[in-house]
Amino acid sequence: MPTLILVRHGRSTANTAGVLAGWTPGVALDERGAAQAARLPERLADLPLAEIVASPLQRCRETVAPLLAARPELTLRTDDRIGECDYGDWSGRKLAELTDEPLMQVVQQHPTAAAFPGGESMRQMQHRAAEAVREWNARVEREHGDDAAYVMCSHGDIIKSLVADAIGLHLDLFQRISVEPCSITAIRYTRLRPFLVRLGDTGDFASLAPREAPQEPDAPVGGGAGAP
């Protein structure tokens, strides 16, 4: 079966503003995010790609735009099922002000019980994304062969949940996974089980350097802004 190349969108204006964007329209890549996206074609240059699929949200479409320009034979496909988690009433709010919400502890420690007010649960998010991957795997294999590779550009929580699904990790533990902006995660699917062959690869180790300010102990909802 195919190899799935998961790309998290580049750093966005919401990431740098510390805002939980969700499905809020008009959230674009910031200057650094655009530079990250511009490097994608070179990073993936040696990899034949069968399809490029993206979340319909602007920051994902902007991330794959340079890759599409470098691969004019490919057409962008969008799929709502790999769009960001629907954070409902939390969408557009500052992450700093959400820290004291009782639900935030549930999101961090027991995500399978977390449902966002006016939005969806994290279980629903994982289910729709995993179903999308399974359907795209079958389509890519049918149309391009079982050794094909394809790109999916999505969001931090979506990618983390797909990694958890692939390696048999309970969703309650998915906050232990980290994927930075424009990082590449690769999952090779087989008839019997998937193999995680890359996780959050940005091509550098800047995010491992000591920070001037201490890092938050909890996982950033939505994925965070990455290395400073």
Side-chain angles (χ1 to χ4, degrees):
M1 296 180 71
T3 297
L4 170 62
I5 311 299
L6 287 161
V7 178
R8 186 184 167 201
H9 62 77
R11 197 174 74 174
S12 72
T13 53
N15 292 146
T16 46
V19 169
L20 189 62
W23 283 75
T24 305
V27 176
L29 298 183
D30 67 6
E31 185 176 351
R32 179 171 178 172
Q36 290 170 335
R39 291 195 296 270
L40 258 185
E42 181 180 358
R43 293 169 67 195
L44 296 174
D46 294 332
L47 184 62
L49 295 176
E51 297 278 358
I52 298 177
V53 188
S55 155
L57 294 171
Q58 179 178 341
R59 52 197 182 274
C60 286
R61 290 186 284 106
E62 289 181 349
T63 298
V64 295
L67 186 58
L68 285 161
R71 309 264 185 144
E73 74 280 7
L74 297 177
T75 301
L76 177 62
R77 319 286 186 185
T78 60
D79 193 323
D80 287 359
R81 295 173 297 175
I82 60 167
E84 180 63 285
C85 184
D86 183 355
Y87 298 116
D89 298 343
W90 279 24
S91 300
R93 293 179 62 186
K94 288 275 190 179
L95 287 165
E97 72 182 34
L98 293 170
T99 302
D100 295 330
E101 292 276 357
L103 178 59
M104 182 60 85
Q105 189 172 6
V106 181
V107 170
Q108 292 293 332
Q109 303 297 331
H110 191 19
T112 53
F116 295 97
E120 68 180 335
S121 70
M122 302 202 92
R123 288 180 292 106
Q124 290 171 319
M125 174 199 74
Q126 184 186 44
H127 177 74
R128 63 171 165 84
E131 284 299 301
V133 166
R134 285 165 173 77
E135 288 184 21
W136 277 102
N137 281 349
R139 174 175 173 172
V140 169
E141 181 180 18
R142 184 173 62 250
E143 297 180 2
H144 303 282
D146 59 9
D147 60 348
Y150 70 107
V151 163
M152 251 188 195
C153 184
S154 189
H155 308 266
D157 283 347
I158 296 288
I159 293 173
K160 288 159 56 177
S161 76
L162 289 171
V163 170
D165 175 76
I167 64 175
L169 183 72
H170 199 285
L171 185 62
D172 280 342
L173 302 178
F174 97 127
Q175 298 288 26
R176 300 183 182 194
I177 300 167
S178 176
V179 290
E180 294 218 346
C182 226
S183 62
I184 293 173
T185 295
I187 302 170
R188 180 173 295 123
Y189 289 85
T190 74
R191 295 295 176 194
L192 298 180
R193 58 182 174 264
F195 292 89
L196 179 63
V197 293
R198 293 286 190 282
L199 176 61
D201 187 341
T202 61
D204 65 64
F205 296 94
S207 64
L208 303 182
R211 306 278 179 94
E212 291 183 8
Q215 298 187 56
E216 291 294 327
D218 286 330
V221 180

